[in-house]
Amino acid sequence: MMSMNEELQSTNEELSTVNDELKTKVDQLTVANSDLRNFFESTDLAVVVLDRNLRIRSYTEAARAIFPLQPSDRGGCWPMSRPVWRQPTISTARRRSRAAAPRCSSG
């Protein structure tokens, strides 16, 4: 009986240690997820995150200006069968890039 109690106590300690390690990992993932969410919400970059099966996991609002994405597309397949680029993407990108480029002043 004593031996069984010692084994149970040892197993309980091991489980407690593993649980603490898992809590630390969850905390780290929570911080990383929060950072990524803040990045997505505050950036003007067009980012589309796909999983390995090419299903849409998430995207930034800026990506909606380029790709025909809808909130219902999350979890769905990448829309390869429909037109991907909205027109006039290249000219709009050039115009936006020129407007955002730093200006040099002589003197």
Side-chain angles (χ1 to χ4, degrees):
M1 186 69 149
M2 186 71 122
S3 173
M4 186 182 289
N5 270 347
E6 289 172 356
E7 284 184 41
L8 286 173
Q9 185 174 2
S10 174
T11 302
N12 192 32
E13 288 172 4
E14 288 177 29
L15 288 173
S16 182
T17 300
V18 169
N19 193 32
D20 289 342
E21 291 172 1
L22 287 174
K23 283 181 184 177
T24 300
K25 293 290 183 189
V26 167
D27 290 343
Q28 291 171 345
L29 285 172
T30 299
V31 169
N33 191 34
S34 176
D35 289 347
L36 189 58
R37 188 176 322 222
N38 289 335
F39 170 76
F40 275 2
E41 291 173 358
S42 67
T43 187
D44 259 348
L45 297 173
V47 177
V48 178
V49 179
L50 305 174
D51 68 12
R52 64 179 59 162
N53 296 318
L54 297 181
R55 294 189 183 279
I56 300 168
R57 295 200 54 194
S58 59
Y59 54 85
T60 61
E61 280 302 309
R64 293 184 70 193
I66 299 171
F67 302 105
L69 296 167
Q70 301 298 320
S72 60
D73 289 335
R74 281 193 174 94
C77 292
W78 179 248
M80 297 300 247
S81 61
R82 58 184 162 165
V84 175
W85 297 97
R86 290 190 180 157
Q87 298 298 326
T89 301
I90 300 208
S91 62
T92 302
R94 284 184 187 146
R95 189 171 53 250
R96 287 181 182 167
S97 120
R98 286 185 191 128
R103 304 284 185 228
C104 295
S105 60
S106 57

